[in-house]
Amino acid sequence: DVQLVESGGGLVQPGGTVKLSCIGSGFTFRTYSMNWVRQAPGKGLEWVSYISSTSSTKNYADSVEGRFTVSRDNAMNSLYLQMNSLRDEDTAIYYCARGVGYSYLLTWGQGILVTVSS
Amino acid sequence: SYVLTQPPSVSVAPGQTARITCGGNNIGSTSVHWYQQKPGQAPVLVVYDDSDRPSGIPERFSGSNSGDTATLTISRVEVGDEADYHCQVWDRSHPCVFGGGTKLTVL
């Protein structure tokens, strides 16, 4: 079965940092683009970041540009999101999602909660 | 930035047809994708490229897209279809965008 499992969330103070990880299994990780999508409590989905299969292309939402960095290690079937200068409004469940190019998100992880609060 | 507009809620009786719309400027010129999200769970892709269904998604789920409106249609609605539904687009002109989501209530 295709599976994505996120880890690394938790409570962090405003201005702090956290690094999320996502491990994929059941598919050829290195051939798929990957994304991070977040959902604030009681709100809709917000795309955060995209990384191509070879890491040659990375894109970010305006709301996180310059603060978040996406990366991947295809040898480890892993996706990462380094989150710096965190703000209250970054509080959300963060999902990693397997993408089909610049198109749809085929498979989602179960999500990991990041809470930014003092 | 590109904006997708969905109604906050749609209600339907079991066995009837639910139609959830997603409005956007000339949305018919791009591909629209739909996700189902049940409470406490991750989203699941139910329709991609306007009207295609991933493996395992019932034929009761269908989609269309023309002009300024895309529509997700759920036929013979079941209690288990109660969920939030999100539309999404992505092309070279604008990054990945989601609609605000529609809560489907099965009365």
Side-chain angles (χ1 to χ4, degrees), chain A:
Chain A
D1 281 1
V2 173
Q3 202 169 12
L4 295 168
V5 179
E6 301 94 338
S7 61
L11 177 64
V12 60
Q13 292 191 335
T17 66
V18 68
K19 186 173 185 177
L20 304 183
S21 300
C22 169
I23 296 179
S25 60
F27 65 101
T28 307
F29 185 85
R30 67 179 184 277
T31 66
Y32 284 90
S33 59
M34 297 294 294
N35 297 265
W36 289 98
V37 177
R38 67 184 181 184
Q39 187 171 35
K43 302 298 185 182
L45 301 172
E46 180 189 15
W47 171 79
V48 172
S49 182
Y50 162 97
I51 184 168
S52 63
S53 60
T54 62
S55 302
S56 60
T57 302
K58 301 177 183 180
N59 302 113
Y60 301 93
D62 289 345
S63 57
V64 307
E65 180 84 53
R67 299 188 300 123
F68 291 9
T69 302
V70 64
S71 62
R72 64 190 294 164
D73 182 343
N74 286 342
M76 300 294 289
N77 288 351
S78 293
L79 173 72
Y80 305 102
L81 186 67
Q82 177 69 45
M83 305 165 63
N84 298 334
S85 303
L86 284 163
R87 306 167 179 167
D88 291 349
E89 56 264 34
D90 295 319
T91 294
I93 295 173
Y94 285 75
Y95 297 98
C96 66
R98 177 173 66 140
V100 176
Y102 284 118
S103 184
Y104 51 93
L105 305 179
L106 190 55
T107 315
W108 298 61
Q110 85 286 353
I112 190 78
L113 178 62
V114 174
T115 302
V116 183
S117 175
S118 55

